[in-house]
Amino acid sequence: MAEHKVSRSAVVDAPASRIFAILASPERHPDIDGSGTVRGSRFGPPELAPDARFGMDMKLFGLPYRMTNRVVEYEKDRLIAWRHFGTHRWRYELEELPGGGTRVTETFDYSRGFSQFYVLAGMPARNARGIEATLVRLKELAERE
């Protein structure tokens, strides 16, 4: 059986704490979103924490919608993941490198259900492109700050 995960990594010339602060701020998600779907933050804490809930305004295929997410994995400055009503997760792992910089790995994990739907809808390839663009935007933002 396939792993049902899409994952990409990038090295960012910034400390993990700076990168994590961006990821843990729902208000910043539209700034880093490379998929073109995240439009704005609707509600939630200014900084995500374990089990925090936050809402986002979204748009996919020209149709606006709203999404409520919940943080399901959290280790400050190292790991954060959230999911919405579905079972898949968006996950970010941060690893500070000995020579400087931080390896950021973003993973779309759709192994927990509805995996056939995602494959048939072409979502793994779409998500891979979105992840690649998100990592570029995150890198530029974190290195600029």
Side-chain angles (χ1 to χ4, degrees):
M1 182 174 190
E3 189 177 38
H4 298 299
K5 294 180 183 179
V6 177
S7 186
R8 300 288 189 273
S9 296
V11 174
V12 179
D13 188 19
S17 59
R18 183 184 311 157
I19 299 163
F20 191 86
I22 294 168
L23 295 171
S25 172
E27 298 251 341
R28 308 290 305 267
H29 291 185
D31 299 335
I32 63 168
D33 172 49
S35 71
T37 60
V38 180
R39 298 299 184 201
S41 177
R42 289 188 320 126
F43 68 86
E47 183 178 335
L48 297 175
D51 207 39
R53 288 180 170 19
F54 63 102
M56 304 302 288
D57 287 322
M58 310 287 290
K59 192 172 196 177
L60 184 62
F61 304 122
L63 301 172
Y65 63 101
R66 293 180 169 168
M67 189 62 62
T68 298
N69 303 286
R70 182 173 62 88
V71 175
V72 293
E73 295 180 69
Y74 184 95
E75 187 177 330
K76 186 156 180 70
D77 298 338
R78 204 182 104 46
L79 170 69
I80 190 164
W82 54 80
R83 71 176 192 85
H84 53 72
F85 66 88
T87 56
H88 63 271
R89 296 174 183 220
W90 290 101
R91 186 173 207 256
Y92 294 85
E93 296 172 85
L94 309 177
E95 175 192 0
E96 287 197 333
L97 302 173
T102 304
R103 177 178 291 111
V104 180
T105 302
E106 180 181 353
T107 303
F108 172 64
D109 178 352
Y110 60 105
S111 64
R112 292 176 172 84
F114 305 117
S115 59
Q116 270 71 9
F117 166 76
Y118 286 109
V119 171
L120 291 173
M123 296 307 279
R126 185 182 197 296
N127 289 132
R129 289 188 302 273
I131 288 170
E132 290 164 3
T134 295
L135 290 172
V136 168
R137 292 175 74 153
L138 178 60
K139 176 179 174 63
E140 290 172 351
L141 186 62
E143 290 177 355
R144 194 170 55 236
E145 292 183 5

